[in-house]
């Protein structure tokens, strides 16, 4: 014999009931007992109608008519012919409901006793409708009123079952029953004095569990609107999957910590009888579902079986030096709470005995604070202990698994994952069984926490990176294209899932929590909001996504001022903007300190050499113990392009214009030609090598004229280049006469740095540097004579984007 319980949010639709019938037909080879919840949320409608009636609101009649319409329409659709008698019977049953509502309207009072009678209508009429539909479909079905079997006390709203009498009634009824399918309403019962009662939360499950345990059923099947118990809440964790099998203890833990599919007290009868529970999806009956049975039979691969949480937690702390070594504090504390019927969800106490910390439902926090302070008012007055400390807006998250005790490092992996995502743990509890490892965190961090933990313990080690990009111009577009192109490769080969969640340009910004469609990302700006750096930052914090990365693809000082706030919230920063790292040394050092303190990343490889691994190579040399004695470099792809194309057959003005047009210079080429850009780059390399230098410490030997440097606008600057063409031709002629090439060189040596234009002789590594290429030579103790050389394209949108992309991947591999 099987016992099946049907319920869930979809109850009431024609498709749902047809699925129920199909499931029962497939089970009809054996005897089946079916417990049915109310159709289509009727219980809530009944309570609403009752409240309207006692509030003297005649709209209760509309709610009643809606209930009537739902049931009669279902019958008409499910039993198209010869349904008059059934509809008449429904109307007779509902007439009693109407009389009850009219009475409530007149009496203006809804007592627990009347409330039980009111909500019972939902279960009773639903079981009748489904029974009649089954009969019409030629199933050997019979309806039995559970109120005639299940006997309780008179505690209305949450009645307690009188076990022996109830079990005897169940045995006696089913002993002589020959029908294949028996339909019973769940949740409803009667007291031993004959009054209608209800079984409280999970009452329909309890009805099914009582019958299954009493009849020694082979299995209790709970058919609901989800395909089993999930590894985490699928509404919050999109990658959550159903768990094939669980032990009774694991299922109890998961249910206690928020898995609403199962309410542990209601299924206790089948747990005691060691009857397996199967949780299935009525709307997707072919899904495997979750089987819950004896732990000795469960084959476990992953020691962590699920990740769950409870919201609306208040954390209370009783502390004081007067508690140390004095027995009885815990007893008095928890007796006080018990007297107020306050349930304690979470407890932890340090071995110092200086504090006891416990979690309760936030609704009980004010009461708990009042009664605890009253209980300990004498000790508080003597300052032996402090008044109870109450913290709210918290949640408990928990890892669940019977077998966690046999695996080392589960707790370490849990808390390191939380720490990496800037999730502050307020309290921790772990029993000796290690079946449950719980932590209290801010409620606002729950979604990020359970997604990060799920990624760590359940997914194929695929790390999701949530990227926020400011600056979607030329370089930004190339970066987006590269991420879109490499998405599948990164996911398959490196187990990294890169999503761009937010974008902003100078005018608009757009967000999509599930990831912006990169195949058509420009269209996302069509209805975007106005761009604002502060609102962008606040939106990133509001989304609160794990592994978040802020990418700055601008040359804007105001954008760089937001690096520190991002890092303080454990949001990694990737920047091609050089302003932060070449600004005051205190700013540079503070950003690095923040990255360390908040366990995040601050990467800026593209600050020097675009996509070339210049900074990374320097860092590796220093980290490996080598000492860099000097650095010589051509660090401006734009200046190298200019001087490679400038000759006595061209003019300097046109060469600079061409470099700007082809994207090799900043929008304002004065930044490149003045040497400040190169000075910033050698300053960054000097700092990476340990030098505490400022930009004013860099000697800048400019090749520009005074008129060039003092130009007040870009047009004025270009005019001055034309006027000073002789100056530039003289530089070229000097280099040509010496069989040399003009290169703008940066040098760091003996703690000093300088930048300037040089005549590079033939045979020098810089001599044949072509196009927009950069070159860096590191002289070190390990490379004293033949330097370590890095050479390649040092400007251009594609290579700069690839450098940013490499930094993002580096964070993903961290």
């Amino acid at each position: 014999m099987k016992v099946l319980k049907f319920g869930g949010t979809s109850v009431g639709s024609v498709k749902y009931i047809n699925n129920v019938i199909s499931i029962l037909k497939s089970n009809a080879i054996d005897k089946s007992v079916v417990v049915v919840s109310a159709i289509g949320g009727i219980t809530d409608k009944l309570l609403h109608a009752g409240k309207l009636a006692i509030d003297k609101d005649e709209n209760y009649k509309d709610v009643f008519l809606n209930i009537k319409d739902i049931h009669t329409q279902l019958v008409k659709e499910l039993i198209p012919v010869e349904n008059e008698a059934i509809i008449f019977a429904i109307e007779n049953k509902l007439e009693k409901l109407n009389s009850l509502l009219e009475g409530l309207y007149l009496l203006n009072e809804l007592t627990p006793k009347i409330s039980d009678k009111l909500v019972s209508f939902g279960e009773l009429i639903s079981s009748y409708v489904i029974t009649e539909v089954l009969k019409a479909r030629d199933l050997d079905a019979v309806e039995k009123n559970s109120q005639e079997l299940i006997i309780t006390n008179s505690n209305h709203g949450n009645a307690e079952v009188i076990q022996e009498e109830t079990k005897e009634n169940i045995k006696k009824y089913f002993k002589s029953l020959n029908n294949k399918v028996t339909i019973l309403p769940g949740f409803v019962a009667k007291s031993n004095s004959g009054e209608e009662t209800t079984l409280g939360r999970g009452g329909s499950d309890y009805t099914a569990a009582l019958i299954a345990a009493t009849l020694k059923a082979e299995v209790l099947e709970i058919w609901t609107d989800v395909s089993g118990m999930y590894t985490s809440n699928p509404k919050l964790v999109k990658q959550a999957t159903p768990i094939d099998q669980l032990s009774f203890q694991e299922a109890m833990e998961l249910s206690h910590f928020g898995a609403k599919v199962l309410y542990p007290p209601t299924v206790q009868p089948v747990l005691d009888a060691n009857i397996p529970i199967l949780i299935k999806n009525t709307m997707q009956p072919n899904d495997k579902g979750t089987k819950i049975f004896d732990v000795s039979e469960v084959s476990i691969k992953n020691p962590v079986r699920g990740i769950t949480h409870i919201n609306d937690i208040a954390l209370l702390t009783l502390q004081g030096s007067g508690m140390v070594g004095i027995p009885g504090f815990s007893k008095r504390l928890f007796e006080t709470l018990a007297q107020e019927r306050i349930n304690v969800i979470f407890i932890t106490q340090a071995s110092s005995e200086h504090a006891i910390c416990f979690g309760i439902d936030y609704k009980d926090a004010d009461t708990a604070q009042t009664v605890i302070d009253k209980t300990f008012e004498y000790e508080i007055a003597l300052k032996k202990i402090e008044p109870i400390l109450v913290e709210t807006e918290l949640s408990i998250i928990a890892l669940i698994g019977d077998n966690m005790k046999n695996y080392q490092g589960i707790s370490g992996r849990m808390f390191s994952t939380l720490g990496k995502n800037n999730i502050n743990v307020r309290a921790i509890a772990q029993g000796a069984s290690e079946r449950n490892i719980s932590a209290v965190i801010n409620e606002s961090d729950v979604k990020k926490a359970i997604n990060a933990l799920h990624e760590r313990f359940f997914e194929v080690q695929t790390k999701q990176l949530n990227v926020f990009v400011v600056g979607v111009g030329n370089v930004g577009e190339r970066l987006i294209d590269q991420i879109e192109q490499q998405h599948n490769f990164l996911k398959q080969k490196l187990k990294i899932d890169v999503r761009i969640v937010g974008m902003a340009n100078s005018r608009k910004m757009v967000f999509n929590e599930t990831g912006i469609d990169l195949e058509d990302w420009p269209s996302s700006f069509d209805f975007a909001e106005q761009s604002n750096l502060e609102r962008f930052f606040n939106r990133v914090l509001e989304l609160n996504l794990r592994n978040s990365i802020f990418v700055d693809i601008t040359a804007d000082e105001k954008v760089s001022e937001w690096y520190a706030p991002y890092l303080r919230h454990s949001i990694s920063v990737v920047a091609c903007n050089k302003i932060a790292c070449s600004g005051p040394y205190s700013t540079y050092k503070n950003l690095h300190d923040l990255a360390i303190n908040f366990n995040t990343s601050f990467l800026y490889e593209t600050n020097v050499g675009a996509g070339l691994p210049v900074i990374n190579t320097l860092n590796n040399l220093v980290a490996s113990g080598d000492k860099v004695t000097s650095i010589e470099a051509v660090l401006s792809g734009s200046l190298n392009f200019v001087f490679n194309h400038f000759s006595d057959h061209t003019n300097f003005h046109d060469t600079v214009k061409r470099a700007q047009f082809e994207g090799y210079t900043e929008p304002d080429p004065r930044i490149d030609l003045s040497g400040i850009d190169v000075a910033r780059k050698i300053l960054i390399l000097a700092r990476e090598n340990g030098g505490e230098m400022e930009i004013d410490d860099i000697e800048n030997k400019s090749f520009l004229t005074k008129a060039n440097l003092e130009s007040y606008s870009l047009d004025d600057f270009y005019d001055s280049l034309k006027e000073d063409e002789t100056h530039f031709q003289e530089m070229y002629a000097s280099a040509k006469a010496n069989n040399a090439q003009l290169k703008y060189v940066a040098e760091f040596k003996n703690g000093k740095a300088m930048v300037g234009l040089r005549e590079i002789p033939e045979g020098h590594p810089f001599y044949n540097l072509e196009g927009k290429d950069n070159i860096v030579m590191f002289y070190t103790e390990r490379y004293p004579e033949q330097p370590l050389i890095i050479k390649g394209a040092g400007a251009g949108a594609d290579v700069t984007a690839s450098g940013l992309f490499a930094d993002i991947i580096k964070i993903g591999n961290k």
Side-chain angles (χ1 to χ4, degrees), residues 605-673:
E605 184 65 71
T606 52
N607 276 197
V608 181
L612 298 177
V614 177
I615 293 175
N616 188 54
T617 300
L618 176 55
N619 289 335
N620 289 339
L621 288 171
V622 174
S624 67
D626 200 359
K627 183 177 180 181
V628 178
T629 55
S630 70
I631 304 171
E632 291 183 37
V634 175
L635 293 173
S636 174
S638 53
L639 282 174
N640 200 44
F641 179 91
V642 167
F643 285 110
N644 278 334
H645 289 83
F646 173 57
S647 71
D648 48 7
H649 300 296
T650 61
N651 64 65
F652 197 71
H653 168 276
D654 292 347
T655 305
V656 174
K657 273 282 191 181
R658 176 184 172 188
Q660 183 188 16
F661 177 78
E662 295 188 19
Y664 295 125
T665 72
E666 299 290 346
D668 185 346
R670 288 176 292 182
I671 296 173
D672 299 284
L673 271 64

Side-chain angles (χ1 to χ4, degrees), residues 410-420 423 425 427-430 437-439 453:
I410 299 291
S411 296
R413 288 160 63 192
M414 175 182 180
F415 294 114
S416 67
T417 300
L418 296 175
K420 287 177 181 178
I423 298 166
V425 175
I428 300 168
Q430 179 177 355
I437 306 173
S438 299
L453 292 172

Side-chain angles (χ1 to χ4, degrees), residues 71-143:
H71 288 85
T72 54
Q73 187 61 34
L74 273 174
V75 170
K76 289 178 181 178
E77 291 188 48
L78 292 164
I79 311 174
V81 294
E82 298 181 359
N83 56 27
E84 293 83 0
I86 300 170
I87 293 173
F88 181 73
I90 290 173
E91 290 175 347
N92 280 340
K93 292 175 184 290
L94 289 176
E95 189 55 39
K96 295 178 183 178
L97 171 61
N98 189 39
S99 298
L100 179 59
L101 291 171
E102 288 176 353
L104 290 174
Y105 183 82
L106 295 172
L107 294 174
N108 193 31
E109 182 182 9
L110 182 60
T111 64
K113 179 178 178 180
I114 299 299
S115 180
D116 274 357
K117 188 176 183 67
L118 179 67
V119 297
S120 294
F121 275 95
E123 314 291 327
L124 293 168
I125 196 169
S126 296
S127 61
Y128 171 75
V129 168
I130 290 180
T131 302
E132 293 304 317
V133 173
L134 290 174
K135 289 178 180 177
R137 302 288 178 88
D138 297 323
L139 265 174
D140 182 18
V142 63
E143 180 193 9

Side-chain angles (χ1 to χ4, degrees), residues 736-753:
K736 185 176 181 180
N738 294 321
N739 195 26
Q741 295 281 353
L742 289 174
K743 301 295 179 186
Y744 200 86
V745 178
E747 182 179 7
F748 173 73
K749 189 174 184 179
N750 298 324
K752 295 182 179 181

Side-chain angles (χ1 to χ4, degrees), residues 457-468:
F457 288 102
F458 287 102
E459 296 169 36
V460 191
Q461 296 305 307
T462 299
K463 189 173 186 179
Q464 186 181 95
L465 304 182
N466 294 291
V467 178
F468 300 85

Side-chain angles (χ1 to χ4, degrees), residues 550-554 556 558-568 571 573-581 591 594 602:
F550 174 73
V551 182
D552 177 12
I553 319 179
T554 73
D556 191 332
K558 291 182 179 179
V559 178
S560 70
E561 291 170 356
W562 285 95
Y563 295 176
Y566 279 107
L567 293 171
R568 286 193 189 98
I571 296 168
V573 174
V574 171
C576 66
N577 186 342
K578 292 181 280 292
I579 293 175
C581 288
L591 293 175
L594 288 172
F602 174 43

